[in-house]
Amino acid sequence: MDTTPAVDPADTGAAQLTLYTSAFCEPCMQTRAVLAEAVRVAPRIAVTELDVAANLERAERDGIRSTPTVIVASPGGDEVFRAEGVPTLAQVLAAAGRAL
């Protein structure tokens, strides 16, 4: 599943979160819920979900070793946080704050 936002987050000044997932991944479902809550609380967060199998080249480029992995980047694309496994809401919000 590719849920790339229709508007480039760099154009909106949003913190960019990339969620790498894989099929039948229970922790991935939990991470989706955490990120959905983060977006609800802080609308300047933009989430892109990428399935590792369907986006292998990008996953390799980003150094993905397990799913779920969340990468938080600034609007300019600089990585400010990475979580392998299910992050907490507090971690995501703090990382998004650093990205902005």
Side-chain angles (χ1 to χ4, degrees), residues 42-88:
R44 289 187 60 198
I45 294 174
V47 177
T48 301
E49 181 174 342
L50 299 173
D51 181 271
V52 172
N55 297 279
L56 192 54
E57 187 174 304
R58 182 166 171 187
E60 287 177 356
R61 184 186 77 224
D62 284 346
I64 304 305
R65 299 177 299 176
S66 63
T67 59
T69 296
V70 177
I71 298 174
V72 179
S74 68
D78 296 321
E79 184 176 321
V80 298
F81 176 79
R82 178 180 293 242
E84 294 178 345
V86 181
T88 66

Side-chain angles (χ1 to χ4, degrees), residues 25-42:
C25 169
E26 177 65 33
C28 294
M29 289 186 263
Q30 295 168 351
T31 301
R32 279 186 200 101
V34 170
L35 297 184
E37 181 63 9
V39 169
R40 188 188 72 74
V41 172

